[in-house]
């Protein structure tokens, strides 16, 4: 694993032996038969179709993560309670919440556990109420520091009160035009742009303002308290070990949480030279950004194609291969491809 330069799914590691075998073969003429055999093997048995990613993820395809199973909230007993360091504690019924002025925004969620180019990242349009408006109503005391968010499954996490006062933090009851289903937090969940899924508490039932730095379920296990999403990007098309023709359109996406993506670059030579890809327009600063690149007149050969992104505040995606613990994965995604 240590010689691995870029991140990739674990299954690909063993395939790398073939790649090294193939390139060694190309350098030494009398091994060329083996090299050709290895190339043939890769093209024939390892080639995968491209991933097709809709810009908005359907509710059925939206990734699901929770520490225990999906919760079925008993609506007879459900209400949202806001208390702690506030002047006017508040209890709201589901109807109260739906009668308040609604806001709608597109936000991509990603799990802190998502592997490089993994599928635990999805995009939806959320509808709900502004957390800020609620906080203004309950009147936080000056001692209030954190907002502890509690789910019906005894899960909790927190964000600073200051973060909760920004306009983009919402309590959502609809996802892509329909009420949340039980997998995604019915009746109510937090949506906090820019912060990993962990703080987007589902089956929300209580918000407590605390005078101290509240440690939630994962923080007590030493996971990050900030949870800022790291810049990431992936290649969806071509699939690995594909053979590409002149003019092939490479596609993929990039995401940076709170700050939209400003630049996506591709390398065809293992990270020596980088060429910008074309960014597609995104309707929300909090959603992923699609990119594409028309590959004109590539020379025949085999290529390691790598992608990296930079967001609009200049954070460039790290090529350091990090595991999820404690503050999220990192690493660059590469795809191996051939041009005949
Ligand atoms: N109540 C509760 N909320 C939770 C969790 C949980 O275990 N319980 N898991 C979190 C994690 S780790 C993630 S990545 C997101 C996933 O949201 P989704 O299942 O709607 O994609 O929910 C978050 N909210
Ligand atoms: Mo997560």
């Amino acid at each position: 694993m240590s010689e691995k330069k870029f991140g990739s799914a674990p299954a690909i590691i063993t395939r790398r032996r073939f790649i090294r075998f193939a390139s060694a073969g190309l350098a030494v003429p009398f091994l060329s038969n083996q090299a050709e055999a290895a190339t043939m093997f890769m093209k024939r048995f390892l080639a995968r179709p491209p991933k097709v990613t809709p810009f908005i993820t359907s509710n059925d395809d939206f990734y699901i993560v929770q520490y225990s199973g999906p919760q079925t909230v008993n609506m007879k007993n459900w209400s949202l309670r806001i208390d702690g360091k506030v002047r006017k504690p508040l209890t709201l019924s589901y109807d109260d919440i739906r009668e308040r002025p609604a806001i709608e925004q597109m936000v991509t969620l990603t799990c802190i556990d998502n592997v490089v180019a993994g599928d635990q990242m999805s995009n939806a349009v959320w509808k709900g109420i502004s957390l800020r408006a609620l906080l203004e109503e309950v009147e936080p005391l000056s001692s209030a520091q954190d907002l502890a968010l509690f789910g019906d499954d005894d899960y909790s996490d927190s964000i600073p009160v200051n973060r909760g006062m920004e306009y983009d933090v919402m309590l959502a009851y609809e996802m892509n035009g329909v009420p949340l289903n039980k997998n995604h937090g019915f009746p109510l969940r937090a949506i906090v742009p820019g912060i990993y899924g962990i703080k987007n508490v589902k089956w929300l039932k209580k918000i407590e303002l605390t005078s101290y730095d509240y440690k939630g379920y994962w923080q007590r296990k030493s996971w990050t308290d900030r949870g800022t999403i790291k810049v990431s990007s992936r290649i969806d098309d071509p699939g690995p070990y594909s053979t590409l023709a002149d003019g092939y359109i490479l596609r993929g996406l990039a995401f940076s949480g709170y700050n939209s993506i400003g630049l996506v670059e591709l390398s065809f030579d293992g990270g020596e030279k980088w060429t910008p890809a074309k960014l597609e327009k995104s309707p929300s600063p909090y959603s992923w950004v699609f990119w594409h690149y028309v590959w004109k007149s590539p020379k025949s050969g085999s290529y390691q194609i790598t992608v990296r992104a930079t967001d609009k505040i200049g954070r460039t995606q790290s090529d350091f291969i990090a595991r999820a613990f404690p503050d999220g994965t990192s690493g660059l995604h590469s795809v191996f491809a051939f041009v005949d």
Side-chain angles (χ1 to χ4, degrees):
M1 295 262 297
S2 57
E3 79 273 29
K4 232 174 29 127
K5 187 158 183 207
F6 299 123
S8 57
I12 295 173
I13 295 165
T14 50
R15 290 171 199 161
R16 279 175 194 261
R17 291 173 184 277
F18 284 104
I19 297 164
R20 229 171 283 125
F21 178 57
S23 32
L26 289 171
V28 186
F30 64 80
L31 280 180
S32 69
N33 285 345
Q34 286 94 321
E36 273 166 33
T39 300
M40 260 177 61
F41 176 86
M42 289 189 276
K43 287 181 175 177
R44 194 145 166 212
F45 296 107
L46 303 183
R48 296 284 174 270
K51 208 185 245 183
V52 180
T53 308
F55 194 75
I56 294 181
T57 315
S58 71
N59 291 358
D60 287 344
D61 291 339
F62 204 99
Y63 84 91
I64 301 170
V65 171
Q66 56 255 322
Y67 81 100
S68 62
Q71 303 295 304
T72 307
V73 172
N74 181 348
M75 289 305 283
K76 279 202 189 103
N77 306 330
W78 188 88
S79 61
L80 178 70
R81 173 80 182 159
I82 305 164
D83 60 18
K85 300 286 172 207
V86 298
R87 224 158 263 125
K88 299 177 180 162
L90 188 63
T91 304
L92 295 171
S93 70
Y94 189 58
D95 288 344
D96 293 338
I97 289 169
R98 296 192 61 125
E99 277 158 18
R100 295 174 67 95
I103 54 172
E104 215 167 1
Q105 55 188 12
M106 182 185 286
V107 180
T108 299
L109 286 191
T110 183
C111 185
I112 197 163
D113 234 359
N114 192 32
V115 295
V116 171
D119 287 323
Q120 287 178 333
M121 191 193 284
S122 307
N123 187 36
V125 177
W126 308 91
K127 183 177 174 186
I129 59 174
S130 154
L131 179 58
R132 181 193 169 102
L134 272 188
L135 292 177
E136 281 171 346
E137 242 173 86
V138 297
E139 298 180 14
L141 301 177
S142 59
S143 61
Q145 182 189 343
D146 256 9
L147 293 167
L149 312 166
F150 294 86
D152 206 44
D153 54 348
D154 288 332
Y155 181 88
S156 63
D157 207 317
S158 65
I159 55 172
V161 173
N162 289 343
R163 181 71 186 90
M165 288 301 281
E166 285 173 53
Y167 286 98
D168 58 328
V169 181
M170 68 193 292
L171 308 182
Y173 49 77
E174 268 187 27
M175 179 180 184
N176 294 331
V178 295
L180 293 175
N181 65 35
K182 69 170 186 177
N183 290 324
H184 299 294
F186 178 83
L188 193 68
R189 77 173 304 169
I191 293 291
V192 191
I195 296 178
Y196 281 116
I198 43 174
K199 293 192 185 271
N200 292 250
V201 175
K202 304 195 271 192
W203 313 294
L204 190 66
K205 64 172 186 196
K206 191 173 82 160
I207 301 176
E208 186 185 333
L209 285 81
T210 62
S211 59
Y212 54 93
D213 181 13
Y214 179 86
K215 303 270 184 246
Y217 180 86
W218 291 111
Q219 287 72 56
R220 278 174 235 148
K221 295 173 166 34
S222 303
W223 287 74
T224 175
D225 193 22
R226 275 173 164 264
T228 308
I229 291 173
K230 295 179 183 176
V231 185
S232 71
S233 60
R234 73 180 199 220
I235 300 168
D236 284 349
D237 187 351
Y241 306 104
S242 308
T243 303
L244 311 181
D246 183 19
Y248 194 87
I249 302 176
L250 291 84
R251 296 182 177 282
L253 55 83
F255 184 47
S256 162
Y258 195 66
N259 312 290
S260 197
I261 293 293
L263 176 69
V264 168
E265 297 164 291
L266 294 170
S267 174
F268 298 91
D269 59 6
E272 293 295 317
K273 290 195 295 291
W274 293 91
T275 315
K278 180 111 181 106
L279 299 183
E280 295 173 16
K281 275 218 167 60
S282 166
S284 163
Y286 313 130
S287 82
W288 57 24
V289 171
F290 280 13
W291 59 263
H292 68 260
Y293 178 83
V294 184
W295 201 11
K296 291 194 190 108
S297 318
K299 290 200 189 92
S300 60
S302 54
Y303 291 87
Q304 186 183 6
I305 308 173
T306 307
V307 64
R308 81 171 176 204
T310 301
D311 70 11
K312 285 195 170 154
I313 57 164
R315 295 193 304 164
T316 294
Q317 184 179 349
S318 168
D319 65 2
F320 179 75
I321 300 169
R323 286 170 187 275
F325 182 82
D327 62 357
T329 55
S330 64
L332 303 186
H333 183 216
S334 292
V335 163
F336 203 76
F338 305 99
V339 175
D340 282 345

